[in-house]
Amino acid sequence: STAHRLAAEFRPRRLLSSSFARARETSQIIGHELGLAVEILDGIHERDFGCLMGHPYPRMGEMMTLDPSFESNRHWLWRPEGGESLEDVRQRAVAVLDGVISEARSKGHGYDVVVVCHGAVIQAISAHLTGNWTEASIPENCGVVVIEPELFGNGRT
């Protein structure tokens, strides 16, 4: 399981989770295995899909292509009515994780942190790190993505 892998390969001292129920449940399982309390971290929640909330993903594709403002070569900027673009998610998540990294650095010790969040957040962070939205991917559920803090602070904001 993911919890066993984290226990075997890392020595985390913090476990941060999105406030969304599925992430909290996953975090509780991981926390039990690692002996860590779950800390809810605002700002790493899933993308707000606005008017598309509760609709299947193909519906989003339909809406994007019908929207005259949609630019296929800049898909990450498209925002459903009342929701967020992937770029909005990137800005939100980067600000929050920058804070986590700064806090750890200010305490003078490096340590592993487990962050349980969502696909759009991981995709946005990947785009932030690479500077390339077209290569940003979403891992499968309970996938592990390792981010080195030195790479995170690459100046892209």
Side-chain angles (χ1 to χ4, degrees):
S1 77
T2 300
H4 291 113
R5 178 177 175 200
L6 293 170
E9 295 180 26
F10 303 95
R11 298 290 174 254
R13 295 203 337 226
R14 288 184 78 188
L15 173 57
L16 308 176
S17 176
S18 159
S19 61
F20 284 25
R22 203 163 100 185
R24 286 193 331 263
E25 290 169 12
T26 300
S27 297
Q28 291 296 333
I29 294 165
I30 291 170
H32 179 75
E33 179 71 26
L34 299 176
L36 294 173
V38 176
E39 301 172 53
I40 300 301
L41 183 62
D42 291 330
I44 61 168
H45 55 277
E46 181 59 281
R47 177 182 183 180
D48 181 345
F49 287 97
C51 66
L52 291 169
M53 188 185 310
H55 290 271
Y57 284 115
R59 177 72 180 123
M60 183 168 63
E62 293 168 11
M63 281 189 74
M64 285 190 319
T65 56
L66 293 173
D67 187 338
S69 70
F70 174 68
E71 299 176 56
S72 61
N73 61 334
R74 295 168 43 115
H75 66 87
W76 56 90
L77 298 177
W78 184 78
R79 181 182 293 116
E81 184 180 329
E84 293 179 294
S85 69
L86 286 170
E87 178 60 17
D88 294 333
V89 174
R90 186 193 70 79
Q91 290 179 21
R92 165 174 50 86
V94 165
V96 169
L97 294 175
D98 268 340
V100 170
I101 291 168
S102 294
E103 179 184 343
R105 285 185 179 140
S106 73
K107 293 181 179 178
H109 29 72
Y111 52 86
D112 294 333
V113 177
V114 174
V115 178
V116 179
C117 58
H118 308 275
V121 173
I122 296 168
Q123 182 182 24
I125 295 301
S126 175
H128 176 76
L129 292 172
T130 64
N132 184 348
W133 277 100
T134 59
E135 298 293 320
S137 62
I138 301 173
E140 61 186 59
N141 285 344
C142 292
V144 174
V145 176
V146 178
I147 298 173
E148 297 293 335
E150 299 77 36
L151 297 176
F152 196 78
N154 61 13
R156 292 183 184 93
T157 55

